[in-house]
Amino acid sequence: MKSIKLATIIGARPQFIKMKPISSYIKKHSSIEEIVIHTGQHYDRLMSEIFFKEMKIDEPQKNLSVGSASHGKQTGEMLIKIEEALFKIRPQGVLVYGDTNSTLAGALVAAKMNVPVFHVEAGLRSYNKAMPEEINRLLTDHISSLLFAPTQTAIANLKKEGLYKNTILTGDVMLDSILMFEKEIKKMSFLFEKYKITHKNYIIATLHRAENTDNKKRLLAIINILDNIARNIKLLIPLHHRTKNALKKHNITVKNIDFIEPVSYLTMLFLEKHAKWVITDSGGIQKEAFILNTPCLTLRKETEWQETLENNMNTLVDTDEMLIKEIISKTTTPSNTENTLQIYGNGKASKKIVEAIINYFE
Ligand code: UD1
Ligand code: UDP
């Protein structure tokens, strides 16, 4: 007999990846039943379905098909539809991940229904309120009953906001995800041929953050820098739909960059692992590059993943072309030391999180 009914709210690509190890762990516990609600924030096959298929995640019990819209409209529609769904499900707790509009909507509906909210990846801060994600994570943390912090930095941030009491240091679930699929990535060397790449001889880049794509001048500057770099080394970009649309809108074209469709999770991990450099504005990819021991350049002014900077595996380059060229022209690349992986835990974050949720109800 299951005694805890937990509703999980997800909706965007990184959330499918983060939920995999936790949902797998929940299945091992007879005392907890998980009902997954997909808001439909991401809906294209390569942004959603492919992750469920490849990682063998059960289809969500409900897809709210909210789709794309402005922040207010998208979040508003999520609020209405999540509330309808939760009225029917009547969960004892709601689990949310990260910092997307789906995260905030799930947390807000639950909190107003007096249902405890459990937040995975709590305490991350960029201290830049112009980022929609910063608003989402701040508000979600402040209405959560359990805050699962991935790092000591996150713990320190939550302490500053008076939220320490309900905080648990868990380590990072993305490390758990990588460890789950580590063996499979080793079997994927056919991708060298598919993408015409060789080990440590190419750059993998991603770009989708609103501050980079929604400002024509900034987008053009970044694309020009990457296109110049790609004259000398193969540079692959799996293109996020937001960026594809922005490039089209502004008529921005390239000569040297290899744009490809968004790739599956295992393909992405393979491409990150074998690249000489990762260049990105993604949160998850900075961390994955660190764990996979590939140095990273981040196309932002700040990062939530401070530990990657402190260990010299990541540099905030913003749009500084000189700095980027100087870094990637060095003959030796930085590398992790033996202990640095501990920064993101021991690969058992999911276990800690599920056990903490069960304890919460005991
Ligand atoms: C969202 C999250 C961001 C996260 C990212 C992960 C918010 C505020 N932002 O950003 O934190 O890093 O997901 O990838 O929640 N689109 C499609 N097909 C899709 C999905 C999106 O074409 O399946 C296009 C639409 O034109 C849409 C645009 O991409 O307007 C942006 O999508 P949206 O989910 O609003 O934001 P992301 O940039 O994906
Ligand atoms: N990712 C993927 N395919 C891609 C690009 C990214 O599977 O084409 C994965 C990546 O490995 C990481 C996650 O998506 O696990 C990061 O998501 P994204 O960059 O969209 O969002 P963020 O982490 O910035 O919120």
Side-chain angles (χ1 to χ4, degrees):
M1 179 68 186
K2 310 257 184 194
S3 55
I4 305 165
K5 206 191 243 190
L6 182 74
T8 292
I9 316 282
I10 45 154
R13 172 167 70 186
Q15 293 165 336
F16 314 140
I17 292 158
K18 289 167 196 172
M19 76 174 270
K20 169 65 185 174
I22 296 193
S23 288
S24 303
Y25 203 76
I26 288 175
K27 283 197 183 12
K28 294 185 187 161
H29 282 270
S30 54
S31 60
I32 181 163
E33 177 195 5
E34 184 182 36
I35 295 140
V36 178
I37 302 172
H38 186 324
T39 62
Q41 178 172 352
H42 286 175
Y43 44 85
D44 281 318
R45 190 182 69 80
L46 296 180
M47 294 299 284
S48 179
E49 188 192 326
I50 190 171
F51 298 98
F52 289 85
K53 290 236 158 88
E54 185 182 58
M55 289 188 276
K56 300 192 173 57
I57 307 171
D58 291 345
E59 282 284 301
Q61 275 88 336
K62 206 159 181 45
N63 190 318
L64 306 176
S65 303
V66 165
S68 306
S70 62
H71 287 279
K73 190 157 188 261
Q74 186 183 56
T75 313
E77 207 168 313
M78 283 179 194
L79 291 174
I80 294 168
K81 292 189 169 176
I82 293 172
E83 189 183 60
E84 279 169 8
L86 294 190
F87 274 148
K88 285 191 191 130
I89 298 167
R90 292 272 157 210
Q92 275 121 315
V94 165
L95 183 62
V96 295
Y97 290 85
D99 53 19
T100 72
N101 288 347
S102 299
T103 316
L104 175 61
L108 194 51
V109 171
K112 297 231 174 184
M113 287 172 73
N114 282 328
V115 174
V117 177
F118 308 127
H119 186 203
V120 176
E121 230 181 52
L124 275 290
R125 296 289 182 269
S126 63
Y127 296 103
N128 171 6
K129 284 201 182 140
M131 270 182 96
E133 292 83 0
E134 185 76 353
I135 309 291
N136 291 341
R137 43 172 105 99
L138 263 170
L139 297 179
T140 301
D141 282 342
H142 281 260
I143 53 175
S144 290
S145 295
L146 287 178
L147 296 102
F148 299 121
T151 59
Q152 289 289 359
T153 315
I155 296 268
N157 293 340
L158 292 169
K159 260 187 194 159
K160 277 189 242 164
E161 291 169 32
L163 296 174
Y164 184 63
K165 196 168 123 262
N166 301 322
T167 297
I168 301 171
L169 178 65
T170 57
D172 195 279
V173 287
M174 287 184 100
L175 172 60
D176 295 23
S177 304
I178 292 178
L179 295 177
M180 272 183 108
F181 294 104
E182 214 178 16
K183 276 198 193 129
E184 289 189 42
I185 303 159
K186 288 198 177 125
K187 292 185 223 149
M188 294 174 75
S189 44
F190 58 89
L191 291 175
F192 284 129
E193 202 176 317
K194 175 168 179 185
Y195 292 110
K196 299 187 175 52
I197 48 176
T198 53
H199 179 65
K200 298 291 161 191
N201 228 341
Y202 66 95
I203 292 174
I204 177 90
T206 76
L207 183 68
H208 77 281
R209 195 92 11 239
E211 73 199 44
N212 285 335
T213 59
D214 293 8
N215 173 330
K216 184 183 174 188
K217 207 170 138 209
R218 210 174 148 88
L219 177 64
L220 189 61
I222 293 172
I223 291 293
N224 282 341
I225 294 170
L226 297 178
D227 207 36
N228 283 340
I229 293 171
R231 275 197 226 143
N232 302 316
I233 180 165
K234 182 159 177 117
L235 194 148
L236 279 173
I237 301 190
L239 206 52
H240 191 289
H241 288 81
R242 173 191 279 281
T243 319
K244 190 178 181 178
N245 295 341
L247 293 176
K248 201 166 158 198
K249 179 175 159 197
H250 299 303
N251 245 326
I252 300 175
T253 55
V254 297
K255 289 203 185 85
N256 309 303
I257 296 172
D258 270 325
F259 283 132
I260 55 176
E261 290 287 312
V263 295
S264 76
Y265 176 55
L266 296 192
T267 303
M268 191 62 198
L269 289 183
F270 179 94
L271 292 173
E272 288 174 60
K273 184 178 161 153
H274 293 283
K276 187 168 185 199
W277 294 95
V278 167
I279 304 182
T280 193
D281 60 7
S282 155
I285 291 172
Q286 291 172 61
K287 208 171 24 177
E288 285 171 350
F290 181 89
I291 296 167
L292 296 166
N293 210 9
T294 303
C296 180
L297 305 182
T298 297
L299 300 158
R300 291 179 51 195
K301 290 186 176 68
E302 74 282 308
T303 179
E304 299 78 17
W305 303 103
Q306 288 296 322
E307 312 75 24
T308 60
L309 302 180
E310 286 153 14
N311 289 284
N312 300 321
M313 287 299 288
N314 187 10
T315 311
L316 294 174
V317 292
D318 194 20
T319 56
D320 187 337
E321 183 164 15
M322 295 279 279
L323 178 62
I324 297 174
K325 285 191 170 156
E326 187 195 315
I327 295 173
I328 63 170
S329 65
K330 288 191 181 139
T331 43
T332 54
T333 52
S335 170
N336 270 314
T337 59
E338 225 166 75
N339 291 328
T340 43
L341 281 183
Q342 305 294 324
I343 288 162
Y344 291 115
N346 56 7
K348 299 210 170 10
S350 318
K351 181 172 185 284
K352 272 196 176 172
I353 289 168
V354 175
E355 285 171 0
I357 293 173
I358 294 171
N359 284 341
Y360 181 89
F361 292 104
E362 273 172 359

